[in-house]
């Protein structure tokens, strides 16, 4: 099934109309109806009744994402939500680990207190508890584990932060966020695969598949790292997909003479 992203978006957010100053372009976008003036939507191309949402030179018109560009935005937002949910979940896990590390601390304190109680008793038997290898090992284990857990909590928080920053950036379709997502996600893929060798779960497999798809998709669709013409080709695609641009290109052959013909020939090539 083919989804009409343009009409879906218009149904949700309303049409995006604009009255350009350029007369010829203005005429193409404008219609007088029995119910009053109507303007063509820059997204879906339908005529919408009422005043235009903006006006001015065509070059100042808002760049309304349409078609494939709009579909890409939807996918990015889906990834943004997925990352936000994962980020919040990991923050919760980090908090749990941190709390657990503190309770480990409590266990150690308890142990130390016992040690204080028993120290005089053992001293009586000429046994120095503070230099006992067994006690040392136990103390070290508690300390080590506490620090390890704290480190794990900090690393989890850092990971969650990356996910949340990705989420915000992807939501607003920022190019840096696309790079961050690709690089960070790819960097964590080996860890995800390693996780799978330890214990297989459907959630892990789904996450891995989603992350691989996300990396490939963003790389190709957003033309990162100079792929398929890179940033310039991406911007060109966005521009040429815009409705005003399409209309402008369409109106050119209507003009019979002169430079317009040259221009249309140039556009065609
Ligand atoms: Zn519309």
């Amino acid at each position: 099934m083919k989804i009409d992203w343009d009409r879906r978006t218009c149904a949700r957010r309303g049409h995006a109309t604009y009255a350009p100053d350029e007369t010829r372009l203005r005429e193409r976008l404008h219609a007088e109806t029995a119910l009053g003036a109507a303007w063509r939507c820059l997204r879906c191309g339908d005529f919408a009744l009422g005043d235009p949402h903006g006006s001015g030179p065509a070059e100042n018109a808002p760049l309304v994402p349409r078609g494939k560009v709009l579909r890409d935005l939807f996918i990015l937002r889906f990834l943004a939500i997925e990352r936000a949910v994962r980020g919040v979940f990991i923050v919760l896990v980090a908090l749990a680990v941190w709390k657990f590390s503190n309770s480990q601390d409590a266990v150690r304190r308890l142990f130390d207190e016992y040690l204080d109680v028993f120290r005089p008793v053992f001293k009586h038997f000429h046994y120095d508890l503070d230099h006992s290898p067994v006690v040392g090992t136990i103390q070290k284990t508690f300390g080590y584990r506490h620090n390890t857990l704290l480190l794990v909590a900090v690393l989890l928080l850092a990971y969650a932060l990356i996910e949340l920053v990705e989420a915000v950036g992807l939501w607003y379709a920022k190019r840096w966020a696309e790079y961050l997502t690709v690089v960070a996600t790819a960097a964590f893929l080996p860890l995800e695969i390693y996780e799978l060798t330890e214990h297989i779960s459907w959630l892990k497999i789904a996450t891995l598949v989603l992350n691989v798809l996300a990396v490939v998709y963003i790389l190709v669709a957003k033309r990162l790292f100079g792929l398929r013409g890179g940033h310039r080709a991406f911007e060109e695609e966005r521009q040429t997909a815009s409705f005003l641009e399409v209309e402008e290109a369409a109106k050119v052959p209507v003009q019979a003479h002169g430079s317009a013909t040259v221009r249309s020939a140039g556009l065609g090539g």
Side-chain angles (χ1 to χ4, degrees):
M1 190 188 75
K2 200 177 180 313
I3 300 170
D4 191 336
W5 296 107
D6 296 342
R7 289 216 156 68
R8 278 192 118 178
T9 307
C10 282
R12 208 156 41 85
R13 279 196 256 159
H15 297 293
T17 52
Y18 187 83
D21 289 343
E22 292 83 345
T23 321
R24 216 171 262 109
L25 201 51
R26 193 185 177 92
E27 279 166 4
R28 290 184 70 90
L29 298 180
H30 179 242
E32 275 303 327
T33 73
L35 296 169
W39 293 88
R40 278 194 93 175
C41 172
L42 296 186
R43 194 181 298 114
C44 67
D46 286 350
F47 278 95
L49 283 172
D51 291 331
H53 296 140
S55 61
E59 60 184 41
N60 290 351
L63 189 58
V64 181
R66 318 166 58 227
K68 187 182 161 296
V69 177
L70 191 60
R71 186 204 62 194
D72 287 350
L73 282 178
F74 269 93
I75 294 173
L76 283 191
R77 292 208 156 173
F78 166 76
L79 286 175
I81 292 168
E82 187 264 337
R83 255 125 240 273
V85 170
R86 187 136 46 111
V88 170
F89 176 73
I90 293 167
V91 167
L92 292 179
V93 172
L95 283 177
V97 171
W98 178 67
K99 258 199 119 84
F100 181 66
S101 80
N102 277 347
S103 68
Q104 283 279 314
D105 204 41
V107 173
R108 187 175 55 169
R109 269 206 302 276
L110 204 66
F111 180 76
D112 286 344
E113 274 168 30
Y114 269 107
L115 217 58
D116 285 340
V117 171
F118 286 111
R119 193 175 280 119
V121 181
F122 276 85
K123 205 145 201 153
H124 183 77
F125 293 102
H126 301 283
Y127 190 88
D128 189 359
L129 273 180
D130 290 317
H131 291 100
S132 150
V134 177
V135 172
T137 307
I138 293 171
Q139 279 174 324
K140 224 165 100 186
T141 309
F142 279 130
Y144 175 69
R145 287 190 69 176
H146 173 76
N147 285 342
T148 310
L149 289 172
L150 218 57
L151 183 68
V152 168
V154 168
L155 287 178
L156 281 173
L157 266 186
Y159 180 64
L161 192 70
I162 293 174
E163 295 290 289
L164 291 174
V165 169
E166 281 177 21
V168 173
L170 287 179
W171 184 266
Y172 293 107
K174 298 288 180 205
R175 201 154 176 84
W176 58 257
E178 293 160 5
Y179 272 105
L180 178 67
T181 305
V182 164
V183 172
T185 308
F188 280 110
L189 284 181
L191 199 69
E192 284 182 40
I193 293 165
Y194 174 70
E195 276 276 300
L196 273 174
T197 63
E198 293 285 295
H199 174 73
I200 293 182
S201 82
W202 283 113
L203 186 68
K204 282 183 190 174
I205 293 173
T207 308
L208 179 67
V209 169
L210 182 74
N211 279 336
V212 170
L213 285 179
V215 167
V216 173
Y217 171 79
I218 296 175
L219 268 178
V220 174
K222 294 315 185 98
R223 303 165 190 260
L224 300 187
F225 298 108
L227 271 180
R228 296 169 64 222
H231 190 221
R232 196 199 299 195
F234 171 69
E235 282 301 326
E236 259 169 35
E237 182 184 55
R238 245 157 53 106
Q239 291 285 345
T240 48
S242 93
F243 193 80
L244 280 183
E245 195 80 12
V246 172
E247 278 299 300
E248 195 127 42
K251 91 185 177 197
V252 172
V254 176
Q255 296 172 324
H257 311 289
S259 60
T261 324
V262 176
R263 199 180 157 216
S264 78
L267 271 177

mmCIF file with all atom_site columns, all heavy atoms in Angstrom, residues 185-206:
data_model
loop_
_atom_site.group_PDB
_atom_site.id
_atom_site.type_symbol
_atom_site.label_atom_id
_atom_site.label_alt_id
_atom_site.label_comp_id
_atom_site.label_asym_id
_atom_site.label_entity_id
_atom_site.label_seq_id
_atom_site.pdbx_PDB_ins_code
_atom_site.Cartn_x
_atom_site.Cartn_y
_atom_site.Cartn_z
_atom_site.occupancy
_atom_site.B_iso_or_equiv
_atom_site.pdbx_formal_charge
_atom_site.auth_seq_id
_atom_site.auth_comp_id
_atom_site.auth_asym_id
_atom_site.auth_atom_id
_atom_site.pdbx_PDB_model_num
ATOM 1   N N   . THR A 1 185 ? 25.419 4.684   16.726 1.00 0.00 ? 185 THR A N   1
ATOM 2   C CA  . THR A 1 185 ? 24.723 3.400   16.576 1.00 0.00 ? 185 THR A CA  1
ATOM 3   C C   . THR A 1 185 ? 25.661 2.341   16.012 1.00 0.00 ? 185 THR A C   1
ATOM 4   O O   . THR A 1 185 ? 25.709 1.216   16.507 1.00 0.00 ? 185 THR A O   1
ATOM 5   C CB  . THR A 1 185 ? 23.490 3.553   15.661 1.00 0.00 ? 185 THR A CB  1
ATOM 6   O OG1 . THR A 1 185 ? 22.697 4.631   16.149 1.00 0.00 ? 185 THR A OG1 1
ATOM 7   C CG2 . THR A 1 185 ? 22.660 2.293   15.664 1.00 0.00 ? 185 THR A CG2 1
ATOM 8   N N   . ALA A 1 186 ? 26.432 2.712   14.989 1.00 0.00 ? 186 ALA A N   1
ATOM 9   C CA  . ALA A 1 186 ? 27.377 1.763   14.398 1.00 0.00 ? 186 ALA A CA  1
ATOM 10  C C   . ALA A 1 186 ? 28.425 1.354   15.425 1.00 0.00 ? 186 ALA A C   1
ATOM 11  O O   . ALA A 1 186 ? 28.819 0.186   15.495 1.00 0.00 ? 186 ALA A O   1
ATOM 12  C CB  . ALA A 1 186 ? 28.034 2.382   13.168 1.00 0.00 ? 186 ALA A CB  1
ATOM 13  N N   . ALA A 1 187 ? 28.845 2.320   16.263 1.00 0.00 ? 187 ALA A N   1
ATOM 14  C CA  . ALA A 1 187 ? 29.871 2.029   17.268 1.00 0.00 ? 187 ALA A CA  1
ATOM 15  C C   . ALA A 1 187 ? 29.375 1.006   18.289 1.00 0.00 ? 187 ALA A C   1
ATOM 16  O O   . ALA A 1 187 ? 30.149 0.193   18.794 1.00 0.00 ? 187 ALA A O   1
ATOM 17  C CB  . ALA A 1 187 ? 30.286 3.317   17.972 1.00 0.00 ? 187 ALA A CB  1
ATOM 18  N N   . PHE A 1 188 ? 28.071 1.039   18.571 1.00 0.00 ? 188 PHE A N   1
ATOM 19  C CA  . PHE A 1 188 ? 27.532 0.126   19.581 1.00 0.00 ? 188 PHE A CA  1
ATOM 20  C C   . PHE A 1 188 ? 27.104 -1.224  19.004 1.00 0.00 ? 188 PHE A C   1
ATOM 21  O O   . PHE A 1 188 ? 26.762 -2.136  19.749 1.00 0.00 ? 188 PHE A O   1
ATOM 22  C CB  . PHE A 1 188 ? 26.353 0.778   20.311 1.00 0.00 ? 188 PHE A CB  1
ATOM 23  C CG  . PHE A 1 188 ? 26.788 1.733   21.384 1.00 0.00 ? 188 PHE A CG  1
ATOM 24  C CD1 . PHE A 1 188 ? 26.614 3.100   21.238 1.00 0.00 ? 188 PHE A CD1 1
ATOM 25  C CD2 . PHE A 1 188 ? 27.392 1.257   22.545 1.00 0.00 ? 188 PHE A CD2 1
ATOM 26  C CE1 . PHE A 1 188 ? 27.032 3.984   22.230 1.00 0.00 ? 188 PHE A CE1 1
ATOM 27  C CE2 . PHE A 1 188 ? 27.809 2.126   23.527 1.00 0.00 ? 188 PHE A CE2 1
ATOM 28  C CZ  . PHE A 1 188 ? 27.632 3.493   23.373 1.00 0.00 ? 188 PHE A CZ  1
ATOM 29  N N   . LEU A 1 189 ? 27.120 -1.343  17.675 1.00 0.00 ? 189 LEU A N   1
ATOM 30  C CA  . LEU A 1 189 ? 26.684 -2.603  17.055 1.00 0.00 ? 189 LEU A CA  1
ATOM 31  C C   . LEU A 1 189 ? 27.498 -3.818  17.525 1.00 0.00 ? 189 LEU A C   1
ATOM 32  O O   . LEU A 1 189 ? 26.909 -4.856  17.849 1.00 0.00 ? 189 LEU A O   1
ATOM 33  C CB  . LEU A 1 189 ? 26.720 -2.493  15.523 1.00 0.00 ? 189 LEU A CB  1
ATOM 34  C CG  . LEU A 1 189 ? 25.567 -1.697  14.893 1.00 0.00 ? 189 LEU A CG  1
ATOM 35  C CD1 . LEU A 1 189 ? 25.700 -1.678  13.376 1.00 0.00 ? 189 LEU A CD1 1
ATOM 36  C CD2 . LEU A 1 189 ? 24.207 -2.266  15.284 1.00 0.00 ? 189 LEU A CD2 1
ATOM 37  N N   . PRO A 1 190 ? 28.849 -3.708  17.588 1.00 0.00 ? 190 PRO A N   1
ATOM 38  C CA  . PRO A 1 190 ? 29.612 -4.872  18.066 1.00 0.00 ? 190 PRO A CA  1
ATOM 39  C C   . PRO A 1 190 ? 29.181 -5.314  19.461 1.00 0.00 ? 190 PRO A C   1
ATOM 40  O O   . PRO A 1 190 ? 29.072 -6.505  19.747 1.00 0.00 ? 190 PRO A O   1
ATOM 41  C CB  . PRO A 1 190 ? 31.053 -4.362  18.075 1.00 0.00 ? 190 PRO A CB  1
ATOM 42  C CG  . PRO A 1 190 ? 31.069 -3.244  17.120 1.00 0.00 ? 190 PRO A CG  1
ATOM 43  C CD  . PRO A 1 190 ? 29.727 -2.607  17.188 1.00 0.00 ? 190 PRO A CD  1
ATOM 44  N N   . LEU A 1 191 ? 28.900 -4.316  20.328 1.00 0.00 ? 191 LEU A N   1
ATOM 45  C CA  . LEU A 1 191 ? 28.462 -4.621  21.688 1.00 0.00 ? 191 LEU A CA  1
ATOM 46  C C   . LEU A 1 191 ? 27.122 -5.352  21.668 1.00 0.00 ? 191 LEU A C   1
ATOM 47  O O   . LEU A 1 191 ? 26.907 -6.311  22.417 1.00 0.00 ? 191 LEU A O   1
ATOM 48  C CB  . LEU A 1 191 ? 28.340 -3.312  22.478 1.00 0.00 ? 191 LEU A CB  1
ATOM 49  C CG  . LEU A 1 191 ? 28.326 -3.447  23.994 1.00 0.00 ? 191 LEU A CG  1
ATOM 50  C CD1 . LEU A 1 191 ? 29.695 -3.899  24.488 1.00 0.00 ? 191 LEU A CD1 1
ATOM 51  C CD2 . LEU A 1 191 ? 27.936 -2.131  24.640 1.00 0.00 ? 191 LEU A CD2 1
ATOM 52  N N   . GLU A 1 192 ? 26.231 -4.902  20.771 1.00 0.00 ? 192 GLU A N   1
ATOM 53  C CA  . GLU A 1 192 ? 24.914 -5.539  20.668 1.00 0.00 ? 192 GLU A CA  1
ATOM 54  C C   . GLU A 1 192 ? 25.057 -6.983  20.194 1.00 0.00 ? 192 GLU A C   1
ATOM 55  O O   . GLU A 1 192 ? 24.350 -7.872  20.667 1.00 0.00 ? 192 GLU A O   1
ATOM 56  C CB  . GLU A 1 192 ? 24.024 -4.756  19.707 1.00 0.00 ? 192 GLU A CB  1
ATOM 57  C CG  . GLU A 1 192 ? 23.485 -3.472  20.316 1.00 0.00 ? 192 GLU A CG  1
ATOM 58  C CD  . GLU A 1 192 ? 22.577 -2.735  19.361 1.00 0.00 ? 192 GLU A CD  1
ATOM 59  O OE1 . GLU A 1 192 ? 21.786 -3.394  18.671 1.00 0.00 ? 192 GLU A OE1 1
ATOM 60  O OE2 . GLU A 1 192 ? 22.667 -1.504  19.299 1.00 0.00 ? 192 GLU A OE2 1
ATOM 61  N N   . ILE A 1 193 ? 25.978 -7.194  19.248 1.00 0.00 ? 193 ILE A N   1
ATOM 62  C CA  . ILE A 1 193 ? 26.203 -8.552  18.745 1.00 0.00 ? 193 ILE A CA  1
ATOM 63  C C   . ILE A 1 193 ? 26.803 -9.415  19.856 1.00 0.00 ? 193 ILE A C   1
ATOM 64  O O   . ILE A 1 193 ? 26.401 -10.562 20.057 1.00 0.00 ? 193 ILE A O   1
ATOM 65  C CB  . ILE A 1 193 ? 27.122 -8.516  17.499 1.00 0.00 ? 193 ILE A CB  1
ATOM 66  C CG1 . ILE A 1 193 ? 26.371 -7.834  16.348 1.00 0.00 ? 193 ILE A CG1 1
ATOM 67  C CG2 . ILE A 1 193 ? 27.561 -9.920  17.096 1.00 0.00 ? 193 ILE A CG2 1
ATOM 68  C CD1 . ILE A 1 193 ? 27.244 -7.412  15.198 1.00 0.00 ? 193 ILE A CD1 1
ATOM 69  N N   . TYR A 1 194 ? 27.736 -8.827  20.601 1.00 0.00 ? 194 TYR A N   1
ATOM 70  C CA  . TYR A 1 194 ? 28.337 -9.552  21.723 1.00 0.00 ? 194 TYR A CA  1
ATOM 71  C C   . TYR A 1 194 ? 27.272 -9.933  22.750 1.00 0.00 ? 194 TYR A C   1
ATOM 72  O O   . TYR A 1 194 ? 27.257 -11.048 23.271 1.00 0.00 ? 194 TYR A O   1
ATOM 73  C CB  . TYR A 1 194 ? 29.422 -8.677  22.371 1.00 0.00 ? 194 TYR A CB  1
ATOM 74  C CG  . TYR A 1 194 ? 30.004 -9.278  23.624 1.00 0.00 ? 194 TYR A CG  1
ATOM 75  C CD1 . TYR A 1 194 ? 30.817 -10.411 23.560 1.00 0.00 ? 194 TYR A CD1 1
ATOM 76  C CD2 . TYR A 1 194 ? 29.735 -8.738  24.878 1.00 0.00 ? 194 TYR A CD2 1
ATOM 77  C CE1 . TYR A 1 194 ? 31.344 -10.977 24.698 1.00 0.00 ? 194 TYR A CE1 1
ATOM 78  C CE2 . TYR A 1 194 ? 30.252 -9.297  26.021 1.00 0.00 ? 194 TYR A CE2 1
ATOM 79  C CZ  . TYR A 1 194 ? 31.056 -10.415 25.931 1.00 0.00 ? 194 TYR A CZ  1
ATOM 80  O OH  . TYR A 1 194 ? 31.561 -10.984 27.058 1.00 0.00 ? 194 TYR A OH  1
ATOM 81  N N   . GLU A 1 195 ? 26.362 -8.982  23.021 1.00 0.00 ? 195 GLU A N   1
ATOM 82  C CA  . GLU A 1 195 ? 25.245 -9.238  23.933 1.00 0.00 ? 195 GLU A CA  1
ATOM 83  C C   . GLU A 1 195 ? 24.445 -10.468 23.480 1.00 0.00 ? 195 GLU A C   1
ATOM 84  O O   . GLU A 1 195 ? 24.039 -11.287 24.297 1.00 0.00 ? 195 GLU A O   1
ATOM 85  C CB  . GLU A 1 195 ? 24.319 -8.020  23.946 1.00 0.00 ? 195 GLU A CB  1
ATOM 86  C CG  . GLU A 1 195 ? 24.746 -6.926  24.877 1.00 0.00 ? 195 GLU A CG  1
ATOM 87  C CD  . GLU A 1 195 ? 24.266 -7.200  26.286 1.00 0.00 ? 195 GLU A CD  1
ATOM 88  O OE1 . GLU A 1 195 ? 23.053 -7.297  26.463 1.00 0.00 ? 195 GLU A OE1 1
ATOM 89  O OE2 . GLU A 1 195 ? 25.105 -7.341  27.182 1.00 0.00 ? 195 GLU A OE2 1
ATOM 90  N N   . LEU A 1 196 ? 24.254 -10.569 22.164 1.00 0.00 ? 196 LEU A N   1
ATOM 91  C CA  . LEU A 1 196 ? 23.473 -11.677 21.616 1.00 0.00 ? 196 LEU A CA  1
ATOM 92  C C   . LEU A 1 196 ? 24.181 -13.019 21.833 1.00 0.00 ? 196 LEU A C   1
ATOM 93  O O   . LEU A 1 196 ? 23.531 -14.039 22.023 1.00 0.00 ? 196 LEU A O   1
ATOM 94  C CB  . LEU A 1 196 ? 23.212 -11.455 20.131 1.00 0.00 ? 196 LEU A CB  1
ATOM 95  C CG  . LEU A 1 196 ? 21.966 -10.628 19.805 1.00 0.00 ? 196 LEU A CG  1
ATOM 96  C CD1 . LEU A 1 196 ? 21.883 -10.358 18.307 1.00 0.00 ? 196 LEU A CD1 1
ATOM 97  C CD2 . LEU A 1 196 ? 20.698 -11.332 20.262 1.00 0.00 ? 196 LEU A CD2 1
ATOM 98  N N   . THR A 1 197 ? 25.527 -12.998 21.803 1.00 0.00 ? 197 THR A N   1
ATOM 99  C CA  . THR A 1 197 ? 26.253 -14.248 22.015 1.00 0.00 ? 197 THR A CA  1
ATOM 100 C C   . THR A 1 197 ? 26.113 -14.704 23.470 1.00 0.00 ? 197 THR A C   1
ATOM 101 O O   . THR A 1 197 ? 26.195 -15.893 23.761 1.00 0.00 ? 197 THR A O   1
ATOM 102 C CB  . THR A 1 197 ? 27.752 -14.101 21.678 1.00 0.00 ? 197 THR A CB  1
ATOM 103 O OG1 . THR A 1 197 ? 28.321 -13.140 22.566 1.00 0.00 ? 197 THR A OG1 1
ATOM 104 C CG2 . THR A 1 197 ? 27.958 -13.663 20.249 1.00 0.00 ? 197 THR A CG2 1
ATOM 105 N N   . GLU A 1 198 ? 25.900 -13.728 24.367 1.00 0.00 ? 198 GLU A N   1
ATOM 106 C CA  . GLU A 1 198 ? 25.734 -14.061 25.789 1.00 0.00 ? 198 GLU A CA  1
ATOM 107 C C   . GLU A 1 198 ? 24.338 -14.613 26.065 1.00 0.00 ? 198 GLU A C   1
ATOM 108 O O   . GLU A 1 198 ? 24.173 -15.597 26.743 1.00 0.00 ? 198 GLU A O   1
ATOM 109 C CB  . GLU A 1 198 ? 25.959 -12.812 26.639 1.00 0.00 ? 198 GLU A CB  1
ATOM 110 C CG  . GLU A 1 198 ? 27.376 -12.298 26.621 1.00 0.00 ? 198 GLU A CG  1
ATOM 111 C CD  . GLU A 1 198 ? 28.299 -13.163 27.479 1.00 0.00 ? 198 GLU A CD  1
ATOM 112 O OE1 . GLU A 1 198 ? 28.085 -13.198 28.701 1.00 0.00 ? 198 GLU A OE1 1
ATOM 113 O OE2 . GLU A 1 198 ? 29.207 -13.792 26.915 1.00 0.00 ? 198 GLU A OE2 1
ATOM 114 N N   . HIS A 1 199 ? 23.360 -13.902 25.517 1.00 0.00 ? 199 HIS A N   1
ATOM 115 C CA  . HIS A 1 199 ? 21.979 -14.310 25.774 1.00 0.00 ? 199 HIS A CA  1
ATOM 116 C C   . HIS A 1 199 ? 21.100 -13.771 24.657 1.00 0.00 ? 199 HIS A C   1
ATOM 117 O O   . HIS A 1 199 ? 21.089 -12.576 24.382 1.00 0.00 ? 199 HIS A O   1
ATOM 118 C CB  . HIS A 1 199 ? 21.511 -13.763 27.131 1.00 0.00 ? 199 HIS A CB  1
ATOM 119 C CG  . HIS A 1 199 ? 20.068 -14.023 27.390 1.00 0.00 ? 199 HIS A CG  1
ATOM 120 N ND1 . HIS A 1 199 ? 19.588 -15.275 27.699 1.00 0.00 ? 199 HIS A ND1 1
ATOM 121 C CD2 . HIS A 1 199 ? 18.990 -13.202 27.364 1.00 0.00 ? 199 HIS A CD2 1
ATOM 122 C CE1 . HIS A 1 199 ? 18.279 -15.204 27.855 1.00 0.00 ? 199 HIS A CE1 1
ATOM 123 N NE2 . HIS A 1 199 ? 17.892 -13.959 27.656 1.00 0.00 ? 199 HIS A NE2 1
ATOM 124 N N   . ILE A 1 200 ? 20.368 -14.680 23.992 1.00 0.00 ? 200 ILE A N   1
ATOM 125 C CA  . ILE A 1 200 ? 19.536 -14.267 22.866 1.00 0.00 ? 200 ILE A CA  1
ATOM 126 C C   . ILE A 1 200 ? 18.131 -13.943 23.349 1.00 0.00 ? 200 ILE A C   1
ATOM 127 O O   . ILE A 1 200 ? 17.524 -14.711 24.090 1.00 0.00 ? 200 ILE A O   1
ATOM 128 C CB  . ILE A 1 200 ? 19.482 -15.368 21.783 1.00 0.00 ? 200 ILE A CB  1
ATOM 129 C CG1 . ILE A 1 200 ? 20.862 -15.519 21.144 1.00 0.00 ? 200 ILE A CG1 1
ATOM 130 C CG2 . ILE A 1 200 ? 18.448 -15.033 20.711 1.00 0.00 ? 200 ILE A CG2 1
ATOM 131 C CD1 . ILE A 1 200 ? 20.912 -16.544 20.029 1.00 0.00 ? 200 ILE A CD1 1
ATOM 132 N N   . SER A 1 201 ? 17.643 -12.761 22.970 1.00 0.00 ? 201 SER A N   1
ATOM 133 C CA  . SER A 1 201 ? 16.239 -12.434 23.245 1.00 0.00 ? 201 SER A CA  1
ATOM 134 C C   . SER A 1 201 ? 15.678 -11.716 22.031 1.00 0.00 ? 201 SER A C   1
ATOM 135 O O   . SER A 1 201 ? 16.421 -11.113 21.247 1.00 0.00 ? 201 SER A O   1
ATOM 136 C CB  . SER A 1 201 ? 16.116 -11.557 24.489 1.00 0.00 ? 201 SER A CB  1
ATOM 137 O OG  . SER A 1 201 ? 16.367 -10.212 24.174 1.00 0.00 ? 201 SER A OG  1
ATOM 138 N N   . TRP A 1 202 ? 14.344 -11.788 21.869 1.00 0.00 ? 202 TRP A N   1
ATOM 139 C CA  . TRP A 1 202 ? 13.733 -11.169 20.699 1.00 0.00 ? 202 TRP A CA  1
ATOM 140 C C   . TRP A 1 202 ? 13.926 -9.664  20.709 1.00 0.00 ? 202 TRP A C   1
ATOM 141 O O   . TRP A 1 202 ? 14.098 -9.049  19.670 1.00 0.00 ? 202 TRP A O   1
ATOM 142 C CB  . TRP A 1 202 ? 12.240 -11.527 20.640 1.00 0.00 ? 202 TRP A CB  1
ATOM 143 C CG  . TRP A 1 202 ? 12.055 -12.922 20.139 1.00 0.00 ? 202 TRP A CG  1
ATOM 144 C CD1 . TRP A 1 202 ? 11.581 -13.981 20.857 1.00 0.00 ? 202 TRP A CD1 1
ATOM 145 C CD2 . TRP A 1 202 ? 12.387 -13.436 18.847 1.00 0.00 ? 202 TRP A CD2 1
ATOM 146 N NE1 . TRP A 1 202 ? 11.599 -15.110 20.080 1.00 0.00 ? 202 TRP A NE1 1
ATOM 147 C CE2 . TRP A 1 202 ? 12.079 -14.810 18.831 1.00 0.00 ? 202 TRP A CE2 1
ATOM 148 C CE3 . TRP A 1 202 ? 12.919 -12.858 17.693 1.00 0.00 ? 202 TRP A CE3 1
ATOM 149 C CZ2 . TRP A 1 202 ? 12.280 -15.610 17.718 1.00 0.00 ? 202 TRP A CZ2 1
ATOM 150 C CZ3 . TRP A 1 202 ? 13.115 -13.663 16.580 1.00 0.00 ? 202 TRP A CZ3 1
ATOM 151 C CH2 . TRP A 1 202 ? 12.800 -15.015 16.603 1.00 0.00 ? 202 TRP A CH2 1
ATOM 152 N N   . LEU A 1 203 ? 13.894 -9.069  21.907 1.00 0.00 ? 203 LEU A N   1
ATOM 153 C CA  . LEU A 1 203 ? 14.064 -7.623  22.008 1.00 0.00 ? 203 LEU A CA  1
ATOM 154 C C   . LEU A 1 203 ? 15.448 -7.224  21.499 1.00 0.00 ? 203 LEU A C   1
ATOM 155 O O   . LEU A 1 203 ? 15.599 -6.263  20.753 1.00 0.00 ? 203 LEU A O   1
ATOM 156 C CB  . LEU A 1 203 ? 13.888 -7.169  23.465 1.00 0.00 ? 203 LEU A CB  1
ATOM 157 C CG  . LEU A 1 203 ? 13.912 -5.661  23.673 1.00 0.00 ? 203 LEU A CG  1
ATOM 158 C CD1 . LEU A 1 203 ? 12.682 -5.010  23.044 1.00 0.00 ? 203 LEU A CD1 1
ATOM 159 C CD2 . LEU A 1 203 ? 13.989 -5.313  25.144 1.00 0.00 ? 203 LEU A CD2 1
ATOM 160 N N   . LYS A 1 204 ? 16.451 -8.025  21.883 1.00 0.00 ? 204 LYS A N   1
ATOM 161 C CA  . LYS A 1 204 ? 17.823 -7.728  21.441 1.00 0.00 ? 204 LYS A CA  1
ATOM 162 C C   . LYS A 1 204 ? 17.947 -7.857  19.931 1.00 0.00 ? 204 LYS A C   1
ATOM 163 O O   . LYS A 1 204 ? 18.581 -7.025  19.277 1.00 0.00 ? 204 LYS A O   1
ATOM 164 C CB  . LYS A 1 204 ? 18.808 -8.677  22.131 1.00 0.00 ? 204 LYS A CB  1
ATOM 165 C CG  . LYS A 1 204 ? 19.120 -8.298  23.572 1.00 0.00 ? 204 LYS A CG  1
ATOM 166 C CD  . LYS A 1 204 ? 20.143 -9.252  24.141 1.00 0.00 ? 204 LYS A CD  1
ATOM 167 C CE  . LYS A 1 204 ? 20.305 -9.061  25.647 1.00 0.00 ? 204 LYS A CE  1
ATOM 168 N NZ  . LYS A 1 204 ? 21.196 -10.095 26.193 1.00 0.00 ? 204 LYS A NZ  1
ATOM 169 N N   . ILE A 1 205 ? 17.344 -8.932  19.384 1.00 0.00 ? 205 ILE A N   1
ATOM 170 C CA  . ILE A 1 205 ? 17.414 -9.134  17.928 1.00 0.00 ? 205 ILE A CA  1
ATOM 171 C C   . ILE A 1 205 ? 16.701 -7.982  17.215 1.00 0.00 ? 205 ILE A C   1
ATOM 172 O O   . ILE A 1 205 ? 17.221 -7.407  16.252 1.00 0.00 ? 205 ILE A O   1
ATOM 173 C CB  . ILE A 1 205 ? 16.785 -10.488 17.543 1.00 0.00 ? 205 ILE A CB  1
ATOM 174 C CG1 . ILE A 1 205 ? 17.634 -11.641 18.096 1.00 0.00 ? 205 ILE A CG1 1
ATOM 175 C CG2 . ILE A 1 205 ? 16.652 -10.617 16.030 1.00 0.00 ? 205 ILE A CG2 1
ATOM 176 C CD1 . ILE A 1 205 ? 17.030 -13.013 17.925 1.00 0.00 ? 205 ILE A CD1 1
ATOM 177 N N   . ALA A 1 206 ? 15.508 -7.628  17.719 1.00 0.00 ? 206 ALA A N   1
ATOM 178 C CA  . ALA A 1 206 ? 14.742 -6.541  17.099 1.00 0.00 ? 206 ALA A CA  1
ATOM 179 C C   . ALA A 1 206 ? 15.532 -5.235  17.148 1.00 0.00 ? 206 ALA A C   1
ATOM 180 O O   . ALA A 1 206 ? 15.584 -4.496  16.164 1.00 0.00 ? 206 ALA A O   1
ATOM 181 C CB  . ALA A 1 206 ? 13.406 -6.382  17.813 1.00 0.00 ? 206 ALA A CB  1
#
